[in-house]
Amino acid sequence: MDHLRFFVRTAGELGLRLEILTDTKSREDVERELAQQDYETLDSTVLESQELVSKWAEDSVEYLKNGRVAVPNHFDEGLLEWAMTAGRKHRWQGMIPQETLEKALQEDRSWILLGVRVNASRMAAIRERVERAKGKVVGHIRAYIEGGNAIAGEDATGKSVAIVGKDAIGATAHIYRLDEDGVRQLICEDFGLDSIEQVICVEQPGKFHLDMGMLFIGNGTVVLNDSSEAFRAAVEMAELVPCLTTETMAAKLKLQYELEEEAAKDLKAAGIEIKRKNLESGRVYNFFNGEFVESKNGFKYFITNGGPKEQEEEFEALMTREWKVVRKVIFSPREAARKSLQEWGGVGCRVKGSYES
């Protein structure tokens, strides 16, 4: 409810149209909240599902630039988990000792979460029924694309590009018996792009989704997380106080650092300009995860997770004054953001912007 109030208030202030998908059990609570006098000017629609809906709206549907709607295909859960794990094992060789790597692959919740749980939620089928009830023609995305693991933007020439995490690329390649270019072709066709050069495959920067560790800010520029300082501090602590806890923390941050470096190489090879900034701290705050919106007055804003006051101020200064990307950054309530990040998701995971007017 804290997030609902935040989105409703923000949409009302910026003149955005808000569509809320909820289930039968929760609809009464939603409508009671919307009936508050403060929201009289809000342009909103409440859609109801007979089944329970997930709070992670980002992963269940894609609103394409050509106006079409597409939902992800559902995959066999066991096959998908095997394929994604095999892809990670192949890519992560040499980044950390083999014994530690095996542990990281087996205990993903403690290291880097597998995105297969998005597939397990079965929200795509619910979203498809909702869209068809609205009269939409719904297509299907054949590659295993989780919303948060694909970032849309433009290169330096203004051409549309999609940056896709290598978990998605690797899993799709295993399932369909394709090479990387074959997977890029699938994505290109499903997203209505002209050539596979517009699909950029990038290692995830120590996160299960790209949108938890990188941010497309326009003009072919991506902000990529930089955990080098935290990694150095963890190594020093492990040397100063050697024990299982400090050594494990150092190993986790080494893997994250190595994956960030790989992501940087992939982006540079694709001609993307990179800015390195540490804009997240695990489950404490994360400013990568958010949504760009345009107000009714034509101004751009970025909506993201709240965090410590000092970090919020530093990030807003970057976005508004140094990089001149938006007019203002709007932060969600800090406690709600903290609880959300503990569940491996934030503001950007809870909303999905569309191209509809």
Side-chain angles (χ1 to χ4, degrees):
M1 292 303 292
D2 286 339
H3 277 94
L4 174 65
R5 295 184 188 103
F6 168 68
F7 288 131
V8 167
R9 184 177 67 253
T10 302
E13 290 172 354
L14 301 184
L16 306 176
R17 186 168 69 83
L18 190 64
E19 184 176 278
I20 302 168
L21 173 61
T22 188
D23 48 62
T24 304
K25 182 179 179 181
S26 301
R27 179 164 189 160
E28 185 177 327
D29 293 334
V30 171
E31 292 189 332
R32 185 184 301 114
E33 181 63 33
L34 293 179
Q36 301 295 319
Q37 289 187 351
D38 291 348
Y39 307 144
E40 283 183 352
T41 60
L42 177 69
D43 180 5
S44 65
T45 303
V46 179
L47 302 176
E48 182 179 317
S49 167
Q50 299 301 311
E51 302 168 76
L52 291 176
V53 300
S54 165
K55 53 182 165 284
W56 311 124
E58 171 70 27
D59 300 307
S60 61
V61 65
E62 294 292 339
Y63 297 108
L64 307 182
K65 202 166 186 178
N66 60 14
R68 296 179 181 176
V69 177
V71 297
N73 276 346
H74 185 76
F75 293 86
D76 176 83
E77 291 170 23
L79 176 60
L80 184 62
E81 183 172 351
W82 172 84
M84 194 174 291
T85 302
R88 287 184 170 189
K89 186 173 184 178
H90 173 73
R91 301 194 318 270
W92 295 0
Q93 289 291 330
M95 293 185 182
I96 51 179
Q98 188 64 34
E99 182 180 343
T100 309
L101 173 59
E102 294 295 337
K103 186 175 183 180
L105 295 171
Q106 293 169 9
E107 302 175 9
D108 65 294
R109 281 182 175 269
S110 300
W111 289 73
I112 300 172
L113 195 69
L114 275 177
V116 294
R117 291 168 181 81
V118 171
N119 179 73
S121 74
R122 298 183 180 273
M123 270 300 296
I126 295 174
R127 192 78 242 192
E128 181 172 2
R129 286 192 286 273
V130 168
E131 295 296 332
R132 290 190 185 281
K134 291 160 58 181
K136 296 286 186 180
V137 176
V138 181
H140 289 85
I141 299 169
R142 292 166 290 176
Y144 182 62
I145 299 292
E146 303 151 7
N149 211 20
I151 302 177
E154 296 178 343
D155 64 15
T157 68
K159 182 183 292 186
S160 295
V161 296
I163 300 177
V164 183
K166 286 189 174 177
D167 271 357
I169 301 297
T172 303
H174 273 284
I175 291 169
Y176 288 102
R177 305 297 185 194
L178 296 171
D179 60 13
E180 185 175 288
D181 282 352
V183 177
R184 292 169 73 199
Q185 184 61 39
L186 274 185
I187 296 170
C188 180
E189 293 171 3
D190 290 347
F191 281 77
L193 300 173
D194 296 324
S195 68
I196 65 170
E197 283 69 34
Q198 292 171 269
V199 180
I200 302 171
C201 307
V202 175
E203 181 59 76
Q204 283 126 245
K207 305 294 180 183
F208 77 106
H209 280 171
L210 294 178
D211 69 354
M212 301 298 284
M214 65 175 66
L215 178 64
F216 221 140
I217 59 173
N219 300 316
T221 303
V222 165
V223 183
L224 176 64
N225 196 49
D226 183 359
S227 64
S228 57
E229 186 175 333
F231 171 47
R232 285 193 295 271
V235 170
E236 291 175 3
M237 180 60 71
E239 292 172 347
L240 185 65
V241 188
C243 66
L244 181 60
T245 300
T246 58
E247 290 169 0
T248 299
M249 179 58 69
K252 289 180 179 180
L253 281 165
K254 182 180 190 302
L255 178 58
Q256 178 171 335
Y257 170 77
E258 295 285 358
L259 291 171
E260 289 172 356
E261 293 297 297
E262 285 299 310
K265 292 176 186 176
D266 292 333
L267 290 167
K268 287 177 181 176
I272 299 295
E273 181 184 342
I274 302 170
K275 296 182 184 296
R276 298 297 299 271
K277 290 287 183 181
N278 179 229
L279 301 179
E280 64 86 26
S281 180
R283 301 180 190 180
V284 180
Y285 66 91
N286 189 310
F287 301 140
F288 290 105
N289 185 262
E291 187 85 5
F292 285 100
V293 297
E294 186 174 314
S295 72
K296 62 182 177 182
N297 297 323
F299 295 112
K300 283 189 175 181
Y301 295 82
F302 185 61
I303 304 171
T304 189
N305 306 286
K309 188 172 186 296
E310 181 180 350
Q311 279 72 32
E312 283 189 1
E313 291 173 349
E314 290 176 0
F315 177 64
E316 181 152 31
L318 287 172
M319 293 288 278
T320 59
R321 296 200 291 274
E322 183 172 333
W323 298 334
K324 297 180 172 59
V325 180
V326 293
R327 188 182 193 187
K328 183 181 179 182
V329 177
I330 302 173
F331 297 97
S332 67
R334 290 167 186 161
E335 183 60 21
R338 186 185 65 80
K339 290 179 180 178
S340 189
L341 291 172
Q342 288 177 344
E343 298 181 73
W344 292 287
V347 161
C349 307
R350 293 173 178 268
V351 293
K352 188 74 170 184
S354 82
Y355 291 94
E356 297 178 7
S357 59

